[in-house]
């Protein structure tokens, strides 16, 4: 994830009406602190979390859940029903193998909104004894993102924030995929040898 605090905090405050504070992190990674927005006691609030969970059955940390199956998966079902969140961010990253044979290299790409506005990534809060943990939701990519990865983050439009927090899981079905009209800009950043 990509978080540029200054415009992001101001935008969240003006758009969602809450006092939101986060720090710049141009390459936010799993297990790091992530500021999220939750709905508690009738209003939107900031909740600081750590990105990722490690269920006893999992070999690795889980940072994502598929939006298409989140209502059925025992690990995520309750959190989707009761503890949804939004993650304000400036963008996200994907890596893609490029080149042929021995010249194959991993290339890093930054994805952001075409209008340069912040994004609201959909997520779940998993409450653990060590604190609140974040799992972000992914879905099938829109056409402009498909050449880079077979999944992408699920985003909630600002016009659907109340619906995201105030609806039953079944009512949210229409929001569990990104609109193909969602404008994305892609920037090639660097290669990793």
């Amino acid at each position: 994830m990509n978080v540029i605090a200054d415009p992001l905090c101001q935008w969240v405050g003006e758009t969602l009406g809450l006092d939101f504070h986060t720090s710049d992190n141009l390459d936010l990674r799993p297990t790091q602190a992530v500021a999220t927005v939750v709905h508690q006691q009738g209003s939107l609030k900031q909740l600081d979390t750590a990105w990722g969970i490690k269920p006893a059955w999992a070999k690795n940390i889980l940072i994502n859940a598929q939006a298409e199956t989140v209502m059925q998966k025992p690990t995520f079902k309750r959190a989707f029903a009761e503890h949804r969140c939004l993650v304000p961010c400036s963008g996200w990253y994907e890596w893609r193998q490029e080149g042929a044979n021995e010249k194959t290299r991993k290339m890093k790409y930054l994805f952001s909104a075409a209008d340069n506005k912040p994004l609201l990534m959909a997520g779940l809060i998993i409450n653990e004894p060590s604190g609140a943990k974040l799992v972000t939701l992914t879905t099938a990519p829109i056409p402009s993102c498909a050449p880079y990865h077979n999944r992408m983050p699920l985003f909630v439009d600002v016009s659907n924030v109340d619906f995201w927090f105030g609806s039953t899981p079944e009512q949210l079905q229409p929001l569990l995929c990104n609109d193909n009209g969602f404008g994305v800009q892609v920037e090639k950043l660097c290669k990793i040898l």
Side-chain angles (χ1 to χ4, degrees):
M1 256 185 278
N2 179 289
V3 175
I4 302 171
D6 186 29
L8 185 65
C9 293
Q10 180 180 350
W11 181 86
V12 170
E14 291 171 357
T15 307
L16 301 181
L18 74 137
D19 196 20
F20 187 81
H21 300 281
T22 191
S23 300
D24 284 348
N25 190 335
L26 302 182
D27 195 8
L28 201 150
R29 296 169 184 237
T31 73
Q32 291 183 327
V34 181
T36 69
V37 175
V38 296
H39 189 265
Q40 293 178 341
Q41 301 168 342
S43 64
L44 297 177
K45 300 182 185 318
Q46 179 172 336
L47 177 65
D48 294 329
T49 65
W51 189 15
I53 62 171
K54 178 78 170 63
W57 55 264
K59 292 180 183 177
N60 299 312
I61 190 168
L62 303 178
I63 60 169
N64 298 320
Q66 293 185 354
E68 300 87 343
T69 60
V70 72
M71 286 190 275
Q72 292 82 38
K73 298 287 183 179
T75 303
F76 306 116
K77 185 177 182 176
R78 182 172 179 206
F80 186 67
E82 301 174 6
H83 301 291
R84 292 183 294 273
C85 71
L86 294 171
V87 184
C89 64
S90 307
W92 79 99
Y93 297 103
E94 297 294 354
W95 289 260
R96 179 171 75 173
Q97 290 288 114
E98 295 184 356
N101 303 326
E102 67 277 348
K103 295 189 183 211
T104 300
R105 295 196 168 123
K106 255 182 138 173
M107 301 300 292
K108 185 176 183 180
Y109 290 86
L110 170 63
F111 294 75
S112 56
D115 61 6
N116 290 313
K117 289 185 180 178
L119 300 163
L120 296 172
M121 191 179 293
L124 308 174
I125 300 296
I126 310 285
N127 291 305
E128 295 185 348
S130 60
K133 306 294 184 187
L134 167 69
V135 174
T136 53
L137 295 180
T138 66
T139 189
I142 59 174
S144 60
C145 294
Y148 301 92
H149 202 277
N150 65 344
R151 305 291 296 168
M152 71 178 287
L154 176 66
F155 294 102
V156 175
D157 187 87
V158 71
S159 65
N160 289 318
V161 168
D162 290 338
F163 188 72
W164 174 252
F165 286 118
S167 301
T168 66
E170 295 75 23
Q171 291 170 321
L172 290 172
Q173 195 65 44
L175 294 187
L176 297 183
C177 62
N178 289 319
D179 180 357
N180 283 338
F182 174 56
V184 172
Q185 60 185 345
V186 182
E187 179 183 354
K188 190 177 202 175
L189 295 179
C190 64
K191 61 185 173 188
I192 301 170
L193 300 176

